[in-house]
Amino acid sequence: CQIDNVGQSDIVGAARVAVAMKRLVARFRLDGLVLLGQHYVEAHTKATSYLGMAELHAEGKTLGVTEGDVLGLAMMKILRHFTGRTPFFGEWAEFDVPRNAMMLLAHGYADPTQAKRGSKPRITATPEQWGFEGSGFSYELTFDPGPVTFGHFIRDAQGWRMLISGGEILDVPAMPICDSSLVVGLERPIKEYVEILTKR
């Protein structure tokens, strides 16, 4: 990996949190780990949990998320049972009308062993500051192009529903944004797709 704008103290802090996460997982034999990373862990440890999450995902035993998203973790478990691979955990960040695509952003962590072939994941500063000291520790990478299934749970005025949707990871390089990201093309026009999700 290439390291940009991340110092030794940032790496040591991230490594300490990663070791604590692995010990927690081993002690309680956890299949999943949900942290309030931005709102709690970073403020108390003064470091990010992204190295720890990336390591858990790369080991393939325990899935984890940093946003307190228990439902997201449940969906990740479902997708992993179907595919045998550790899913990418992200949120919808931007929509690209010319490419008819959406960008999924992962908050600085993803399984670095799944990075796009021929690319080198970068270790970068963390773009969002929620209480850590220094520059933070994030992975900047993307995955191989190809078909993808994504999903989540939705609760609205109609009650609980499950979103399962398909798309295709586009062949674009990792965006230089100090974060892990995917650009996913859709068959349905992106504006129509977003309208359906928000209004139905």
Side-chain angles (χ1 to χ4, degrees), residues 109-123:
Y109 67 94
D111 178 355
T113 67
Q114 292 188 40
K116 184 177 181 180
R117 278 174 281 202
S119 70
K120 287 187 177 180
R122 284 188 341 130
I123 294 171

Side-chain angles (χ1 to χ4, degrees), residues 99-110:
R99 284 187 173 133
N100 198 49
M102 69 173 75
M103 181 178 71
L104 302 176
L105 206 59
H107 293 290
Y109 67 94

Side-chain angles (χ1 to χ4, degrees), residues 2 12 20 32 39 64 71 84-85 88 95 98 104 123-124 149-150 162 167 172 180:
Q2 177 184 344
V12 168
H39 303 284
L71 296 175
R85 292 182 61 177
F88 180 91
F95 300 100
L104 302 176
I123 294 171
T124 67
T149 301
F150 53 94
M162 181 184 286
V172 296
S180 302

Side-chain angles (χ1 to χ4, degrees), residues 47-66:
T48 65
S49 58
Y50 305 145
L51 173 60
M53 282 299 173
E55 288 295 309
L56 291 178
H57 287 191
E59 288 174 0
K61 297 174 188 171
T62 305
L63 296 175
V65 298
T66 63

